[in-house]
């Protein structure tokens, strides 16, 4: 088997011992007779087996010459230390170990026969680029400090994961350019500094199989399980108490200076306020934000350009500016805001990295230097290993701050629903009593057992399609306006570039009409901002074009910096629907609470969802009866129909015509809910009860069995259930509401396709009867109502 088969790399790898053998040739002349004799022994092996010096790519030869290779490597793999040292001879980029110490063999044996050895933090998709950085170092003398600690994760005989740090010795390797290897210039190097992830660019500069690699690597491995465990304590890195310590910041700078290997470095932070869409300063002794400079806060759109905004907030990925002055001069007149703020403060290079988790961005770490090129997209990868600690620390600090804010809110205005406030008050009194009595106070878990859940939602149908349509319309209008200006400009000045821009615009317009993709918006917006708008500003000197260019820029929304007409209508429609539906539900809830107290909460998404819980444990008195549960279920069904009616009566007031579909989920088994202090909300308890939450999250996307039709449909109420008794109960409610002309007579019972971990669901579907307006006495089906509205 050829080593290089299916290997995507700029290197053609040969296993060779030439460089090591050259050192033994020097040792023949050693004064020490034992050393000289040993060198002759090794060289004699090489003379008898010249392929070991020449190099080979056939992996089977590692087995063929196993004894000879062991003889050559005997000094590096001392038999005296073999049970103590963890060491391997290694073919880089292939995870191929061909000679090991006995201790390493024992470690692998304990891991089990099915264990596969792999360097855990060596991303497969980055191996090509890492090989290129080695070429830059070996062949061109660029001192790119890419060194990151690499690890093996290997379970021991007890199944406990242990961590081993790997140190590579590349003294016995050679990298030689082939004839087809392009020569790397200083300009190439500067371009690569800010494009670590651009694999196409790296392959252009370093084509596949353009360099020969001869040799092998010796890896010295150390068990660092204890160090790795201790490093988890670093989650206290950015805590509230530490921010008050003036010595903390300088110590924190030193950590990063050690990490990057130079002293000319400072670190700043800014916190992301999602509600305001802004970056804010972190308060504490010596804390800086180089992104904000002297400002307390700044909207993200003002602090970043469109590309860097998407990079940090949408993709949650870092980016670098390796040469601030060069980019500042390049974008003369329209300098990206983050570059300008760096230039104003005298910084020459920087890395901006998102502090983010699954739920989104929490803040930004800003690493800056007054020296150009020392911070770049290549050494930014050093952050990969420390970001988890920073994220953990910031998350903890943010939670502490949120807890403090929540305490103030609780003090000034309670956020606990009135139906359960008594239970929190009771526990708080117990807490205070224990504290007064000198006992260790503890706020016990607050849970309510044997309560019945009710869930409903009124969901906006086709919201994604509507948003895409709005985006298409806006982009079409924006491109068409620019196209008209360019066509007018080409009349006065027949430059081929104008014709080329019009051609590209026409291609985008055709693509918008026939093949709108997820990334189309970003591509077109980038094309407009980076290429077309600079041309329009240049053409502004032409008096004939001024009016049209003014009209174009006046149509650009100041907040989002794009033409935002149809998308604004869409966003306003979603917001209005949610506001109106939530308001109506809140009003109706006041009446329901008077019937019998119960827990209620609602959420705005693309529509409005609500949860309700009712049961004895939620009330102080022994007063609960199942009749109150049945009453609340009937009330919920009736209110959902009323919300449907209210929506279609006000639909003409919304900028965009959208449909809604309503669903109720029936769960007839009582469950337990508990208040989760970390999330400040109630959630179900127990594995069995969790099934209810699973169904809630997935059921509105379920299909009717044997079809591609969703269970929720505009113009209908869908009641999802699993038990026959639920079906009989809700059919009674349906018949009652039919008698009141709330619902039509077209009742259908359907089975749902199985969901993950959930089977046996069914649904009652029935059409809603609508009124055209509040004073209209006639009843309409959905289709009839739409015809009436349109006429």
């Amino acid at each position: 088997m050829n080593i290089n088969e299916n290997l995507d790399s700029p290197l053609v790898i040969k296993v060779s011992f030439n460089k090591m053998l050259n050192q033994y040739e020097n040792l023949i002349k050693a004064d020490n007779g034992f050393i000289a004799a040993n060198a002759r022994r090794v060289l004699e092996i090489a003379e008898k087996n010249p392929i070991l010096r020449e190099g080979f790519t056939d992996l089977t030869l590692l087995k063929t010459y196993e004894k000879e290779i062991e003889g050559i490597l005997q000094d590096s793999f001392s038999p005296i230390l073999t049970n103590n040292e963890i060491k391997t001879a290694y073919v880089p980029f292939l995870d191929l170990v061909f000679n090991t110490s006995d201790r390493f063999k024992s470690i692998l044996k304990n891991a089990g026969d099915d264990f596969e050895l792999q360097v855990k933090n060596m991303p497969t998709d980055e191996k090509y680029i890492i090989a290129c950085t080695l070429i830059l170092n070996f062949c061109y003398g660029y001192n790119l400090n890419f060194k990151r600690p690499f690890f093996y994760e290997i379970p021991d005989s007890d199944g406990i994961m242990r961590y081993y740090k790997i140190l590579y010795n590349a003294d016995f390797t050679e990298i030689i350019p082939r004839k087809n290897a392009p020569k790397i210039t200083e300009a190439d190097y500067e371009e690569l500094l800010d494009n670590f992830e651009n694999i196409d660019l790296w392959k252009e500069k370093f084509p596949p199989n353009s360099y020969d690699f001869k040799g092998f690597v010796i890896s010295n491995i150390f068990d660092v399980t204890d160090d790795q465990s201790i490093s988890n304590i670093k989650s206290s890195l950015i805590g509230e108490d530490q921010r008050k310590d003036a010595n903390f910041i300088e110590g924190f700078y030193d950590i990063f200076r050690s990490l990057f290997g130079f002293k000319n470095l400072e670190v700043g932070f800014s916190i992301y306020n999602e509600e305001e869409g802004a970056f804010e300063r972190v308060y504490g002794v010596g804390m800086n934000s180089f992104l904000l400079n002297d400002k307390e806060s700044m909207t993200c759109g003002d602090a970043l350009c469109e590309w860097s905004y998407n990079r940090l907030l949408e993709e949650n990925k870092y980016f670098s500016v390796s040469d601030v002055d060069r980019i500042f001069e390049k974008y003369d007149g329209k300098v990206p805001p983050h570059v300008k703020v760096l230039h104003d403060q005298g910084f020459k290079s920087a890395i901006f990295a998102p502090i983010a988790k699954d739920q989104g961005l929490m803040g930004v770490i800003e690493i800056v230097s007054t020296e150009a090129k020392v911070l770049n997209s290549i050494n930014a990868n050093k952050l990969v290993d420390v970001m988890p600690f920073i994220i953990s620390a910031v998350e903890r600090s943010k939670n502490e701050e949120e807890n403090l804010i929540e305490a103030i809110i609780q003090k000034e205005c309670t956020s606990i629903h009135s139906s359960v406030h008594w239970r929190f008050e009771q526990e708080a009194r117990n807490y205070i009593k224990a504290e007064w009595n000198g006992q260790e106070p503890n706020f016990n878990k607050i849970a309510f057992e044997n309560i019945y859940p009710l869930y409903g939602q009124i969901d906006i149908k086709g919201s994604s399609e509507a948003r895409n349509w709005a985006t298409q319309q806006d982009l079409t209008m924006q491109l068409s306006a620019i196209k008209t200006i360019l066509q007018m400009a080409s009349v006065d000045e027949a430059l081929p570039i104008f014709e080329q821009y019009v051609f590209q615009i026409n291609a985008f317009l055709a693509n918008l009409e026939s093949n709108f993709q997820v990334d189309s918006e970003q591509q077109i917006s980038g094309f407009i901002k980076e290429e077309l708008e600079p041309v329009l500003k240049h053409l502004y000197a032409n008096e004939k074009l001024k009016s049209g260019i003014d009209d174009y820029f006046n149509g650009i929304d100041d907040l989002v910096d794009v033409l935002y007409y149809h998308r604004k209508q869409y966003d306003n429609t979603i917001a209005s629907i949610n506001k109106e539906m939530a308001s109506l539900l809140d009003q109706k809830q006041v009446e329901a609470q008077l019937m019998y107290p119960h827990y209620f909460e609602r959420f705005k998404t693309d529509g409005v969802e609500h949860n309700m819980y009712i049961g004895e444990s939620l009330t102080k008195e022994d007063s609960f009866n199942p009749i109150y549960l049945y009453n609340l279920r009937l009330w919920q069904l009736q209110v959902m129909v009323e919300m449907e009616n209210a929506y279609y009566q006000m639909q003409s007031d919304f900028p965009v015509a959208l449909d809604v579909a309503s669903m109720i989920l029936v769960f007839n088994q009582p469950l337990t809910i508990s208040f989760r202090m970390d999330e400040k909300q109630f959630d179900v308890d127990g594995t069995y009860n969790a099934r209810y939450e699973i169904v809630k999250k997935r059921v509105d996307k379920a299909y009717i069995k044997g079809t591609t039709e969703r269970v929720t449909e505009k113009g209908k109420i869908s009641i999802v259930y699993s038990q026959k008794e639920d079906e009989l109960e809700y059919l009674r409610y349906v018949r009652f509401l039919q008698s009141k002309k709330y619902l039509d007579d077209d009742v259908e019972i359907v089975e749902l396709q199985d969901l993950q971990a959930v089977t046996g669901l069914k649904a009652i579907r029935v059409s809603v009867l609508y009124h055209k307006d509040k004073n209209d006495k006639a009843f309409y089906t959905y289709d009839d109502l739409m015809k009436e509205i349109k006429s």
Side-chain angles (χ1 to χ4, degrees):
M1 176 183 172
N2 192 306
I3 293 175
N4 300 288
E5 188 176 346
N6 300 321
L7 179 64
D8 184 23
S9 174
L11 301 173
V12 178
I13 296 176
K14 278 188 177 182
V15 178
S16 167
F17 301 91
N18 178 59
K19 207 164 182 187
M20 175 177 274
L21 293 169
N22 289 342
Q23 293 198 28
Y24 276 107
E25 288 178 348
N26 295 329
L27 293 177
I28 290 178
K29 305 170 186 177
D31 294 336
N32 189 309
F34 292 107
I35 294 176
N38 183 59
R40 284 191 291 273
R41 175 190 65 79
V42 172
L43 291 172
E44 185 179 341
I45 296 172
E47 288 171 7
K48 293 179 178 178
N49 304 279
I51 194 170
L52 298 179
R53 185 187 285 274
E54 294 166 6
F56 54 87
T57 60
D58 185 353
L59 289 178
T60 61
L61 295 182
L62 288 171
K63 188 66 178 175
T64 303
Y65 294 98
E66 183 177 10
K67 293 298 181 184
E68 289 79 3
I69 291 172
E70 285 182 5
I72 291 175
L73 297 178
Q74 184 176 348
D75 291 342
S76 299
F77 291 79
S78 169
I80 300 298
L81 301 175
T82 190
N83 291 315
N84 182 271
E85 289 186 334
I86 312 175
K87 183 180 285 190
T88 71
Y90 179 84
V91 180
F93 305 109
L94 295 175
D95 289 332
L96 177 62
V97 171
F98 60 85
N99 197 79
T100 73
S101 64
D102 285 350
R103 185 178 174 192
F104 189 74
K105 292 176 183 175
S106 175
I107 290 170
L108 291 184
K109 181 180 179 181
N110 290 336
D113 295 336
D114 58 347
F115 175 76
E116 182 178 345
L117 185 66
Q118 188 175 14
V119 180
K120 288 299 180 184
N121 56 337
M122 171 79 80
T124 303
D125 56 350
E126 291 180 5
K127 285 185 178 180
Y128 193 105
I129 296 173
I130 292 171
C132 296
T133 63
L134 290 177
I135 295 170
L136 285 172
N137 288 349
F138 270 78
C139 299
Y140 296 94
Y142 291 113
N143 186 23
L144 280 175
N145 185 8
F146 180 71
K147 291 181 180 177
R148 288 171 48 203
F150 292 106
F151 294 87
Y152 287 133
E153 294 179 7
I154 306 176
D156 62 18
S157 57
D158 295 323
I160 297 172
M161 190 65 69
R162 302 194 66 81
Y163 301 88
Y164 298 89
K165 185 176 181 179
I166 311 166
L167 295 181
Y168 294 108
N169 183 338
D171 289 347
F172 308 118
T173 62
E174 304 170 82
I175 298 179
I176 305 162
R178 289 183 147 193
K179 290 182 180 180
N180 65 322
K183 186 172 180 58
I184 302 300
T185 65
E186 182 70 20
D188 293 330
Y189 168 68
E190 291 180 354
E191 186 178 7
L192 291 168
L193 282 176
D194 282 339
N195 288 280
F196 181 81
E197 293 182 345
N198 188 342
I199 184 65
D200 293 333
L201 179 64
W202 288 89
K203 285 189 173 181
E204 175 190 330
K205 308 298 184 186
F206 303 92
N209 306 324
S210 55
Y211 290 79
D212 284 322
F213 175 98
K214 288 183 63 177
F216 69 100
V217 171
I218 291 179
S219 61
N220 294 283
I221 304 167
F222 304 91
D223 188 334
V224 292
T225 303
D226 292 341
D227 294 337
Q228 187 71 12
S229 300
I230 292 170
S231 69
N232 291 329
I233 302 172
K234 292 179 182 178
S235 60
S236 61
L237 199 59
I238 312 172
E240 181 182 3
D241 293 337
Q242 291 167 315
R243 292 207 304 260
K244 298 174 183 177
D245 184 354
N247 296 323
F248 165 69
I249 292 300
E250 190 59 35
F252 191 67
Y253 284 3
D254 286 340
I255 294 172
F256 276 85
R257 288 165 182 161
S258 298
L259 181 68
F260 283 88
F262 61 91
K263 287 189 69 67
N264 187 355
L265 178 151
E266 294 181 65
V267 183
F269 297 94
S270 50
I271 293 298
Y272 174 56
N273 184 330
E274 184 177 9
E275 291 183 1
E276 302 294 332
F279 294 119
E280 297 178 348
R281 185 176 298 280
V282 178
Y283 293 101
V285 178
M287 300 291 278
N288 290 318
S289 171
F290 306 113
L291 187 61
L292 298 176
N293 195 3
D294 56 356
K295 293 182 171 60
E296 294 298 312
S297 67
M298 187 185 298
T299 63
C300 301
D302 290 336
L304 303 167
C305 67
E306 183 179 4
W307 181 87
S308 58
Y309 178 99
N310 289 331
R311 184 76 173 172
L312 284 180
L313 277 80
E314 302 297 332
E315 300 176 28
N316 290 157
K317 293 183 178 179
Y318 70 80
F319 70 91
S320 66
V321 183
S322 67
D323 193 331
V324 172
D325 290 346
R326 179 168 60 86
I327 296 179
F328 188 85
E329 294 168 5
K330 178 181 178 181
Y331 287 94
D332 184 30
K334 188 64 175 176
V335 181
H338 62 279
V339 175
K340 185 178 185 304
V341 76
L342 291 171
H343 186 271
D344 291 347
Q345 296 172 86
F347 296 117
K348 306 296 185 183
S349 61
I351 295 170
F352 296 99
I355 304 170
K357 292 201 75 174
D358 294 341
Q359 65 269 29
L361 187 71
M362 294 185 290
V364 177
I365 185 169
E366 312 151 359
I367 306 171
V368 297
S369 175
T370 55
E371 187 176 346
K373 302 178 185 177
V374 295
L375 294 170
N376 51 69
S377 72
I378 296 174
N379 62 13
N381 282 270
K382 290 175 174 287
L383 292 174
V384 170
D385 299 301
V386 298
M387 284 308 293
F389 304 121
I390 295 174
I391 290 168
S392 177
V394 171
E395 185 178 35
R396 183 178 63 84
S397 180
K398 188 174 182 181
N399 288 341
E400 289 173 356
E401 185 175 4
E402 288 174 353
N403 288 341
L404 178 60
I405 292 171
E406 184 65 21
I408 295 171
I409 293 173
Q410 290 290 352
K411 180 180 178 182
E412 300 298 329
C413 51
T414 181
S415 62
I416 302 298
H417 192 263
S418 57
S419 64
V420 295
H421 186 271
W422 66 272
R423 182 66 182 85
F424 286 84
E425 187 179 70
Q426 183 184 78
E427 191 56 44
R429 290 183 187 279
N430 292 336
Y431 184 98
I432 294 170
K433 187 185 297 183
E435 196 168 34
W436 281 349
N437 292 332
Q439 301 170 353
E440 185 68 29
N442 184 33
F443 201 92
N444 293 319
K445 177 180 177 180
I446 292 178
F448 298 95
E449 299 177 349
N450 293 317
I451 60 171
Y452 294 88
L454 297 91
Y455 172 78
Q457 68 172 40
I458 182 165
D459 186 45
I460 298 171
K461 300 291 286 184
S463 56
S464 298
E465 291 82 356
R467 208 270 176 195
N468 288 342
W469 179 87
T471 302
Q472 288 173 287
Q473 297 303 305
D474 282 346
L475 293 175
T476 299
M477 289 173 62
Q478 194 169 356
L479 286 170
S480 298
I482 298 174
K483 175 182 172 181
T484 300
I485 294 169
L486 291 174
Q487 288 173 331
M488 293 174 63
S490 63
V491 173
D492 284 353
E493 195 174 7
L495 297 180
I497 191 65
F498 293 154
E499 186 178 352
Q500 190 272 328
Y501 280 140
V502 170
F503 170 79
Q504 199 162 350
I505 288 172
N506 285 334
F508 275 126
L509 288 171
N511 190 58
L512 279 171
E513 186 174 346
S514 62
N515 189 32
F516 184 77
Q517 301 287 331
V518 175
D519 61 345
S520 297
E521 180 178 3
Q522 184 177 349
Q523 287 181 3
I524 294 172
S525 295
F527 172 60
I528 291 172
K529 290 297 169 192
E530 295 170 14
E531 299 194 41
L532 296 183
E533 288 189 352
V535 174
L536 296 184
K537 290 173 182 176
H538 168 72
L539 293 173
Y540 194 70
N542 187 329
E543 291 295 330
K544 297 179 182 177
L545 303 177
K546 271 189 177 182
S547 176
I549 295 173
D550 281 336
D551 289 342
Y552 169 79
F553 281 106
N554 288 336
I556 300 300
D557 188 276
D558 292 335
L559 186 62
V560 294
D561 202 26
V562 294
L563 195 151
Y564 185 55
Y565 177 72
H566 293 91
R567 279 172 286 188
K568 188 173 184 178
Q569 286 189 323
Y570 167 82
D571 290 339
N572 289 343
T573 298
I574 297 294
S576 297
I577 292 172
N578 285 344
K579 180 182 177 182
E580 295 295 339
M581 293 297 98
S583 176
L584 177 58
L585 187 57
D586 290 345
Q587 292 173 25
K588 294 292 183 180
Q589 250 295 298
V590 175
E591 303 171 8
Q593 289 292 341
L594 295 175
M595 299 176 192
Y596 191 84
H598 57 276
Y599 183 84
F600 168 79
E601 60 184 358
R602 61 159 175 76
F603 311 95
K604 295 179 184 177
T605 52
D606 277 359
V608 177
E609 304 173 34
H610 66 269
N611 287 317
M612 294 185 292
Y613 300 103
I614 188 170
E616 182 68 58
S617 61
L618 283 167
T619 62
K620 286 183 180 181
E621 298 84 12
D622 182 15
S623 60
F624 179 73
N625 186 285
I627 193 173
Y628 294 117
L629 169 63
Y630 305 145
N631 180 72
L632 192 60
R633 286 175 171 173
L634 177 57
W635 172 89
Q636 181 190 36
L637 180 56
Q638 182 169 315
V639 167
M640 294 290 284
V641 175
E642 291 178 7
M643 290 173 68
E644 283 259 354
N645 257 287
Y647 170 74
Y648 283 108
Q649 288 169 12
M650 65 180 73
Q651 187 190 45
S652 58
D653 298 333
F654 299 138
V656 178
L658 295 170
D659 284 304
V660 296
S662 298
M663 183 200 74
I664 289 172
L665 174 63
V666 185
F667 195 79
N668 70 348
Q669 295 296 318
L671 46 74
T672 299
I673 61 170
S674 63
F675 189 78
R676 302 198 181 279
M677 297 300 294
D678 53 345
E679 298 176 6
K680 299 294 182 286
Q681 67 180 32
F682 279 99
D683 201 356
V684 298
D685 253 0
T687 304
Y688 173 75
N689 293 334
R691 181 174 181 271
Y692 172 68
E693 291 295 331
I694 294 172
V695 176
K696 271 171 49 178
K697 288 181 173 66
R698 299 173 180 169
V699 70
D700 65 321
K701 302 296 190 295
Y703 293 99
I704 296 174
K705 202 165 194 175
T707 74
T708 57
E709 182 183 354
R710 286 269 173 84
V711 65
T712 55
E713 183 181 349
K714 58 190 178 185
K716 292 186 177 183
I717 294 280
S718 299
I719 304 165
V720 180
Y721 60 94
S722 61
Q723 302 297 321
K724 185 66 176 180
E725 59 194 86
D726 299 327
E727 177 184 305
L728 297 175
E729 178 185 346
Y730 273 85
L731 285 175
R732 292 198 301 270
Y733 301 153
V734 168
R735 285 192 291 270
F736 171 68
L737 294 181
Q738 286 171 335
S739 70
K740 297 181 68 174
K741 300 300 183 183
Y742 273 72
L743 298 172
D744 205 356
D745 296 328
D746 59 341
V747 177
E748 58 177 333
I749 296 174
V750 297
E751 291 185 48
L752 305 190
Q753 287 185 1
D754 293 343
L755 304 173
Q756 185 177 351
V758 180
T759 60
L761 293 179
K762 300 175 74 174
I764 299 170
R765 299 205 308 176
V766 58
S767 294
V768 176
L769 290 177
Y770 298 96
H771 301 279
K772 190 164 57 174
D773 56 55
K774 292 180 181 179
N775 299 317
D776 185 28
K777 301 301 181 184
F779 301 103
Y780 305 87
T781 64
Y782 171 82
D783 291 335
D784 292 336
L785 178 67
M786 292 299 103
K787 291 176 184 177
E788 284 287 328
I789 291 174
K790 290 175 182 177
S791 64

